[in-house]
Amino acid sequence: MINILQDYNEPQALLAKLALMGTAIGDAFGQCFFNTRPQITQWLSQKQLPPAPWYFTDDTIMTIGLVQHLLQYNDIQQDKLAHIWATNYQKDISRGYGGTAHKILREISEGRSWQEAASEVFSGMGSMGNGAAMRVVPLGAFYPENISHLVEQACLSAQITHAHPEAQAGAVAIAVAAHLAAYTTLVGNDWLEQIAAHTPPGDTHNKILKSLTLPSSYRVETIVHALGNGHQMLAQDTVPLVLWCVAHHFDDFAQALWKTVSALGDRDTTCAMAGGIMALRLGWEGIPQDWGDATEPIDQTWLV
């Protein structure tokens, strides 16, 4: 499925590409569930995969840009990464970008600085949306030993489009979650506790702590009521749900994704995050082949 970036074979590069693959599959799978209610109900009740091909969204396109950038520069260089994202945005503006992302990326592509474009939205508060978290899973795989550096880099990647601290906290939480999935054997609440320990204070942090009190036996509707499902497209409305779904299905890629998509809401984005994290935990062999085969290939189109 991934036929780009073949010249990078260092261990962290291979893990970053694995995370990208999981993100793309989850994103494309979740996107299929923006369908009619009867069709969604049938697929969910029977755990029936949607017909191929599955097409990914801006979640994957921005993740591709992040991976390309990391492989070239090792750390986040914000001006260069902003250029990649804005360039890829112009290649296909109909890939599911949210209204705020449209505005920011269009302005960057027209020559405005990302600092100005990102900081002026929402009356100068900046976006606290889930877009900074949706694209960051590969970053968690890129730094094997230094979590403090990872946290810093996650914030830098978020700031280009999301000036609000809550959105940056969401990016940190997902990046740390990915790191722990790749490099530790932590599962369940032990995993969630470590994520919370590195997530900056705020609503996202508090909801991750709340997720610790919610057992796997709860119905998904109860989890959505407690944690959200991305319906508001905010970091605090999205990230905690994803982490709960993954924490309780760490041994099965398909089951984790089915649980995540059953929450509905911003289902391409929640599944993108879950797919990337699960890929890092289970490895290439843990991703069902039919899921990978159904997802559109990642090709040269998205290299800048």
Side-chain angles (χ1 to χ4, degrees):
M1 179 187 148
I2 296 181
N3 54 14
I4 60 173
L5 305 171
Q6 295 299 320
D7 293 335
Y8 298 91
N9 294 303
E10 300 82 3
Q12 70 269 28
L14 293 175
L15 281 174
K17 290 190 284 186
L18 170 62
L20 170 58
M21 179 176 177
T23 297
I25 292 171
D27 175 20
F29 170 71
Q31 176 66 12
C32 294
F33 285 79
F34 288 104
N35 208 303
T36 65
R37 174 63 66 172
Q39 183 65 84
I40 293 171
T41 300
Q42 176 188 327
W43 288 341
L44 289 176
S45 64
Q46 300 177 13
K47 290 189 175 175
Q48 174 187 341
L49 292 178
W54 305 346
Y55 294 100
F56 51 69
T57 73
D58 61 309
D59 300 30
T60 298
I61 293 168
M62 297 192 82
T63 307
I64 295 168
L66 176 66
V67 171
Q68 179 188 358
H69 180 80
L70 286 172
L71 295 180
Q72 291 174 337
Y73 298 105
N74 295 309
D75 280 335
I76 300 298
Q77 299 187 21
Q78 290 171 305
D79 291 346
K80 291 182 172 64
L81 184 53
H83 170 73
I84 289 175
W85 282 340
T87 300
N88 277 337
Y89 166 75
Q90 289 292 349
K91 291 177 183 178
D92 188 347
I93 66 172
S94 63
R95 282 281 182 155
Y97 294 91
T100 304
H102 274 294
K103 180 180 187 302
I104 292 172
L105 294 172
R106 182 180 66 250
E107 290 182 356
I108 294 172
S109 67
E110 292 171 351
R112 193 174 193 193
S113 74
W114 62 264
Q115 294 93 332
E116 291 180 351
S119 63
E120 76 166 10
V121 297
F122 297 104
S123 302
M125 294 188 299
S127 172
M128 66 173 79
N130 56 28
M134 75 188 184
R135 65 202 184 206
V136 80
V137 171
L139 189 64
F142 211 74
Y143 305 107
E145 298 174 354
N146 194 337
I147 289 189
S148 62
H149 187 65
L150 168 62
V151 169
E152 175 190 76
Q153 295 297 303
C155 288
L156 290 174
S157 74
Q159 289 165 4
I160 297 168
T161 51
H162 291 72
H164 197 286
E166 201 66 58
Q168 295 170 31
V172 168
I174 292 297
V176 171
H179 174 91
L180 296 173
Y183 296 112
T184 78
T185 58
L186 293 172
V187 296
N189 279 4
D190 292 338
W191 181 67
L192 291 171
E193 286 173 355
Q194 284 300 305
I195 297 166
H198 293 283
T199 301
D203 289 344
T204 302
H205 175 265
N206 293 340
K207 281 193 173 182
I208 295 171
L209 292 178
K210 187 173 186 177
S211 74
L212 290 164
T213 70
L214 306 174
S216 60
S217 59
Y218 275 12
R219 290 168 54 86
V220 72
E221 293 83 2
T222 303
I223 302 303
V224 169
H225 180 75
L227 302 179
N229 64 357
H231 177 71
Q232 299 178 66
M233 292 185 286
L234 302 176
Q236 60 267 46
D237 180 51
T238 308
V239 169
L241 168 84
V242 171
L243 297 178
W244 183 90
C245 290
V246 171
H248 293 287
H249 297 86
F250 243 152
D251 60 346
D252 192 312
F253 184 96
Q255 291 304 315
L257 271 292
W258 279 114
K259 177 63 74 173
T260 304
V261 81
S262 70
L264 300 179
D266 194 9
R267 57 215 76 167
D268 59 318
T269 297
T270 55
C271 287
M273 295 185 227
I277 295 169
M278 288 300 300
L280 287 175
R281 171 47 60 102
L282 298 175
W284 299 96
E285 65 280 1
I287 301 173
Q289 183 173 341
D290 51 348
W291 291 55
D293 291 343
T295 303
E296 71 169 299
I298 297 172
D299 60 26
Q300 299 290 333
T301 302
W302 307 110
L303 294 185
V304 175

mmCIF file of all heavy atoms in Angstrom, residues 1 5 17-18 36 46 54 70 78 84 132 137-138 141 149 163 175 185 213 226 228 233 240 254 260 265 271 300 304:
data_model
loop_
_atom_site.group_PDB
_atom_site.id
_atom_site.type_symbol
_atom_site.label_atom_id
_atom_site.label_comp_id
_atom_site.label_asym_id
_atom_site.label_seq_id
_atom_site.Cartn_x
_atom_site.Cartn_y
_atom_site.Cartn_z
ATOM 1 N N MET A 1 0.807 -1.201 0.000
ATOM 2 C CA MET A 1 0.000 0.000 0.000
ATOM 3 C C MET A 1 0.852 1.267 0.000
ATOM 4 O O MET A 1 0.536 2.246 -0.628
ATOM 5 C CB MET A 1 -0.908 -0.003 1.226
ATOM 6 C CG MET A 1 -1.790 1.208 1.356
ATOM 7 S SD MET A 1 -2.664 1.194 2.915
ATOM 8 C CE MET A 1 -2.774 2.924 3.206
ATOM 9 N N LEU A 5 8.664 6.825 -0.275
ATOM 10 C CA LEU A 5 9.608 6.935 0.831
ATOM 11 C C LEU A 5 10.380 5.641 1.059
ATOM 12 O O LEU A 5 10.727 5.286 2.183
ATOM 13 C CB LEU A 5 8.867 7.350 2.120
ATOM 14 C CG LEU A 5 8.028 8.636 2.016
ATOM 15 C CD1 LEU A 5 7.180 8.821 3.262
ATOM 16 C CD2 LEU A 5 8.928 9.846 1.806
ATOM 17 N N LYS A 17 6.532 4.878 8.988
ATOM 18 C CA LYS A 17 5.757 4.454 7.817
ATOM 19 C C LYS A 17 4.674 3.454 8.212
ATOM 20 O O LYS A 17 3.583 3.452 7.637
ATOM 21 C CB LYS A 17 6.695 3.875 6.758
ATOM 22 C CG LYS A 17 7.574 4.950 6.110
ATOM 23 C CD LYS A 17 8.325 4.426 4.893
ATOM 24 C CE LYS A 17 9.495 3.559 5.254
ATOM 25 N NZ LYS A 17 10.301 3.178 4.060
ATOM 26 N N LEU A 18 4.959 2.612 9.203
ATOM 27 C CA LEU A 18 3.940 1.706 9.724
ATOM 28 C C LEU A 18 2.789 2.497 10.331
ATOM 29 O O LEU A 18 1.607 2.195 10.096
ATOM 30 C CB LEU A 18 4.571 0.789 10.771
ATOM 31 C CG LEU A 18 3.627 -0.086 11.605
ATOM 32 C CD1 LEU A 18 2.852 -1.052 10.735
ATOM 33 C CD2 LEU A 18 4.428 -0.838 12.674
ATOM 34 N N THR A 36 -25.642 6.224 4.593
ATOM 35 C CA THR A 36 -27.017 6.235 5.069
ATOM 36 C C THR A 36 -27.120 5.464 6.378
ATOM 37 O O THR A 36 -26.358 4.525 6.631
ATOM 38 C CB THR A 36 -27.960 5.601 4.043
ATOM 39 O OG1 THR A 36 -27.631 4.214 3.891
ATOM 40 C CG2 THR A 36 -27.847 6.300 2.687
ATOM 41 N N GLN A 46 -23.311 -6.391 11.647
ATOM 42 C CA GLN A 46 -22.717 -7.622 11.105
ATOM 43 C C GLN A 46 -21.194 -7.570 11.050
ATOM 44 O O GLN A 46 -20.558 -8.547 10.632
ATOM 45 C CB GLN A 46 -23.275 -7.876 9.700
ATOM 46 C CG GLN A 46 -24.779 -8.038 9.653
ATOM 47 C CD GLN A 46 -25.309 -8.219 8.234
ATOM 48 O OE1 GLN A 46 -24.556 -8.461 7.288
ATOM 49 N NE2 GLN A 46 -26.614 -8.088 8.077
ATOM 50 N N TRP A 54 -11.603 2.057 -0.457
ATOM 51 C CA TRP A 54 -11.778 3.048 0.603
ATOM 52 C C TRP A 54 -10.837 4.215 0.326
ATOM 53 O O TRP A 54 -9.664 4.011 0.026
ATOM 54 C CB TRP A 54 -11.443 2.470 1.971
ATOM 55 C CG TRP A 54 -12.181 1.229 2.366
ATOM 56 C CD1 TRP A 54 -13.301 0.699 1.780
ATOM 57 C CD2 TRP A 54 -11.836 0.356 3.450
ATOM 58 N NE1 TRP A 54 -13.679 -0.449 2.445
ATOM 59 C CE2 TRP A 54 -12.808 -0.690 3.468
ATOM 60 C CE3 TRP A 54 -10.828 0.347 4.411
ATOM 61 C CZ2 TRP A 54 -12.772 -1.717 4.400
ATOM 62 C CZ3 TRP A 54 -10.786 -0.669 5.340
ATOM 63 C CH2 TRP A 54 -11.749 -1.694 5.341
ATOM 64 N N LEU A 70 9.605 14.558 8.577
ATOM 65 C CA LEU A 70 10.441 13.951 9.613
ATOM 66 C C LEU A 70 11.599 13.170 9.011
ATOM 67 O O LEU A 70 12.724 13.217 9.511
ATOM 68 C CB LEU A 70 9.594 13.037 10.492
ATOM 69 C CG LEU A 70 8.647 13.709 11.482
ATOM 70 C CD1 LEU A 70 7.753 12.669 12.136
ATOM 71 C CD2 LEU A 70 9.431 14.481 12.539
ATOM 72 N N GLN A 78 8.996 24.297 11.398
ATOM 73 C CA GLN A 78 7.606 24.687 11.194
ATOM 74 C C GLN A 78 7.342 25.333 9.838
ATOM 75 O O GLN A 78 6.325 25.027 9.198
ATOM 76 C CB GLN A 78 7.152 25.599 12.339
ATOM 77 C CG GLN A 78 7.025 24.848 13.667
ATOM 78 C CD GLN A 78 6.792 25.778 14.831
ATOM 79 O OE1 GLN A 78 7.563 26.713 15.058
ATOM 80 N NE2 GLN A 78 5.725 25.544 15.581
ATOM 81 N N ILE A 84 4.649 22.202 3.162
ATOM 82 C CA ILE A 84 4.200 20.896 2.675
ATOM 83 C C ILE A 84 2.683 20.775 2.799
ATOM 84 O O ILE A 84 1.990 20.377 1.852
ATOM 85 C CB ILE A 84 4.896 19.765 3.452
ATOM 86 C CG1 ILE A 84 6.375 19.683 3.076
ATOM 87 C CG2 ILE A 84 4.220 18.415 3.170
ATOM 88 C CD1 ILE A 84 7.159 18.662 3.881
ATOM 89 N N ALA A 132 -4.850 18.678 14.908
ATOM 90 C CA ALA A 132 -3.443 18.544 15.306
ATOM 91 C C ALA A 132 -3.143 17.152 15.820
ATOM 92 O O ALA A 132 -2.010 16.671 15.711
ATOM 93 C CB ALA A 132 -3.104 19.580 16.377
ATOM 94 N N VAL A 137 0.398 10.598 14.881
ATOM 95 C CA VAL A 137 0.820 9.282 15.365
ATOM 96 C C VAL A 137 2.254 8.932 14.951
ATOM 97 O O VAL A 137 3.042 8.454 15.778
ATOM 98 C CB VAL A 137 -0.169 8.187 14.917
ATOM 99 C CG1 VAL A 137 0.379 6.800 15.224
ATOM 100 C CG2 VAL A 137 -1.514 8.370 15.612
ATOM 101 N N PRO A 138 2.662 9.147 13.695
ATOM 102 C CA PRO A 138 4.043 8.772 13.336
ATOM 103 C C PRO A 138 5.110 9.488 14.158
ATOM 104 O O PRO A 138 6.205 8.948 14.355
ATOM 105 C CB PRO A 138 4.133 9.164 11.858
ATOM 106 C CG PRO A 138 2.720 9.092 11.367
ATOM 107 C CD PRO A 138 1.900 9.592 12.518
ATOM 108 N N ALA A 141 6.405 7.519 17.033
ATOM 109 C CA ALA A 141 7.322 6.420 16.721
ATOM 110 C C ALA A 141 8.732 6.913 16.443
ATOM 111 O O ALA A 141 9.668 6.106 16.385
ATOM 112 C CB ALA A 141 6.803 5.656 15.498
ATOM 113 N N HIS A 149 11.353 15.393 24.532
ATOM 114 C CA HIS A 149 11.565 15.945 23.191
ATOM 115 C C HIS A 149 10.355 15.671 22.303
ATOM 116 O O HIS A 149 9.944 16.528 21.510
ATOM 117 C CB HIS A 149 12.820 15.340 22.571
ATOM 118 C CG HIS A 149 13.219 15.950 21.270
ATOM 119 N ND1 HIS A 149 13.615 17.257 21.147
ATOM 120 C CD2 HIS A 149 13.262 15.435 20.004
ATOM 121 C CE1 HIS A 149 13.910 17.525 19.881
ATOM 122 N NE2 HIS A 149 13.692 16.435 19.168
ATOM 123 N N ALA A 163 -3.412 27.053 17.295
ATOM 124 C CA ALA A 163 -2.739 27.893 18.284
ATOM 125 C C ALA A 163 -3.258 27.679 19.699
ATOM 126 O O ALA A 163 -2.596 28.071 20.661
ATOM 127 C CB ALA A 163 -2.889 29.366 17.897
ATOM 128 N N ALA A 175 0.538 11.605 20.445
ATOM 129 C CA ALA A 175 1.938 11.297 20.171
ATOM 130 C C ALA A 175 2.527 10.419 21.270
ATOM 131 O O ALA A 175 3.240 9.442 20.990
ATOM 132 C CB ALA A 175 2.747 12.591 20.037
ATOM 133 N N THR A 185 5.228 -2.218 26.694
ATOM 134 C CA THR A 185 4.191 -3.259 26.724
ATOM 135 C C THR A 185 3.005 -2.829 27.575
ATOM 136 O O THR A 185 2.154 -3.655 27.919
ATOM 137 C CB THR A 185 4.768 -4.574 27.272
ATOM 138 O OG1 THR A 185 5.302 -4.351 28.585
ATOM 139 C CG2 THR A 185 5.860 -5.105 26.358
ATOM 140 N N THR A 213 -11.920 5.528 34.595
ATOM 141 C CA THR A 213 -13.014 5.042 35.449
ATOM 142 C C THR A 213 -14.076 4.290 34.663
ATOM 143 O O THR A 213 -15.049 3.815 35.261
ATOM 144 C CB THR A 213 -13.679 6.220 36.174
ATOM 145 O OG1 THR A 213 -14.410 7.034 35.222
ATOM 146 C CG2 THR A 213 -12.653 7.092 36.871
ATOM 147 N N ALA A 226 -19.853 10.159 28.063
ATOM 148 C CA ALA A 226 -18.835 10.580 29.028
ATOM 149 C C ALA A 226 -17.657 11.293 28.381
ATOM 150 O O ALA A 226 -17.114 12.248 28.955
ATOM 151 C CB ALA A 226 -18.339 9.366 29.808
ATOM 152 N N GLY A 228 -17.319 11.965 24.660
ATOM 153 C CA GLY A 228 -17.496 12.563 23.342
ATOM 154 C C GLY A 228 -17.151 11.563 22.248
ATOM 155 O O GLY A 228 -16.721 10.439 22.509
ATOM 156 N N MET A 233 -15.675 18.047 16.918
ATOM 157 C CA MET A 233 -14.380 18.158 16.244
ATOM 158 C C MET A 233 -13.362 18.924 17.074
ATOM 159 O O MET A 233 -12.535 19.674 16.553
ATOM 160 C CB MET A 233 -14.552 18.773 14.846
ATOM 161 C CG MET A 233 -15.292 17.858 13.900
ATOM 162 S SD MET A 233 -15.414 18.457 12.209
ATOM 163 C CE MET A 233 -16.640 19.735 12.396
ATOM 164 N N PRO A 240 -9.849 11.533 23.983
ATOM 165 C CA PRO A 240 -10.107 10.576 25.072
ATOM 166 C C PRO A 240 -10.883 9.343 24.615
ATOM 167 O O PRO A 240 -10.596 8.225 25.076
ATOM 168 C CB PRO A 240 -10.901 11.402 26.089
ATOM 169 C CG PRO A 240 -10.459 12.810 25.835
ATOM 170 C CD PRO A 240 -10.311 12.898 24.349
ATOM 171 N N ALA A 254 -8.708 -5.040 14.163
ATOM 172 C CA ALA A 254 -10.072 -4.929 13.658
ATOM 173 C C ALA A 254 -11.059 -4.578 14.761
ATOM 174 O O ALA A 254 -11.913 -3.696 14.587
ATOM 175 C CB ALA A 254 -10.489 -6.231 12.968
ATOM 176 N N THR A 260 -14.196 1.790 17.706
ATOM 177 C CA THR A 260 -14.043 3.227 17.483
ATOM 178 C C THR A 260 -15.100 3.752 16.527
ATOM 179 O O THR A 260 -15.748 4.771 16.800
ATOM 180 C CB THR A 260 -12.636 3.531 16.938
ATOM 181 O OG1 THR A 260 -11.653 3.014 17.833
ATOM 182 C CG2 THR A 260 -12.427 5.028 16.789
ATOM 183 N N GLY A 265 -19.824 9.937 15.233
ATOM 184 C CA GLY A 265 -19.142 11.212 15.382
ATOM 185 C C GLY A 265 -18.167 11.467 14.242
ATOM 186 O O GLY A 265 -18.448 11.139 13.076
ATOM 187 N N CYS A 271 -10.941 7.049 13.825
ATOM 188 C CA CYS A 271 -10.381 5.793 13.321
ATOM 189 C C CYS A 271 -8.955 5.979 12.792
ATOM 190 O O CYS A 271 -8.139 5.046 12.872
ATOM 191 C CB CYS A 271 -11.280 5.204 12.239
ATOM 192 S SG CYS A 271 -12.817 4.491 12.882
ATOM 193 N N GLN A 300 3.014 8.860 -5.089
ATOM 194 C CA GLN A 300 3.846 10.057 -5.278
ATOM 195 C C GLN A 300 3.047 11.355 -5.309
ATOM 196 O O GLN A 300 3.626 12.438 -5.190
ATOM 197 C CB GLN A 300 4.636 9.926 -6.582
ATOM 198 C CG GLN A 300 5.588 8.739 -6.634
ATOM 199 C CD GLN A 300 6.774 8.880 -5.722
ATOM 200 O OE1 GLN A 300 7.190 9.991 -5.411
ATOM 201 N NE2 GLN A 300 7.316 7.768 -5.256
ATOM 202 N N VAL A 304 6.035 16.345 -1.677
ATOM 203 C CA VAL A 304 6.312 17.748 -2.043
ATOM 204 C C VAL A 304 7.807 17.907 -2.239
ATOM 205 O O VAL A 304 8.597 17.464 -1.408
ATOM 206 C CB VAL A 304 5.819 18.698 -0.943
ATOM 207 C CG1 VAL A 304 6.211 20.131 -1.274
ATOM 208 C CG2 VAL A 304 4.305 18.589 -0.785
#
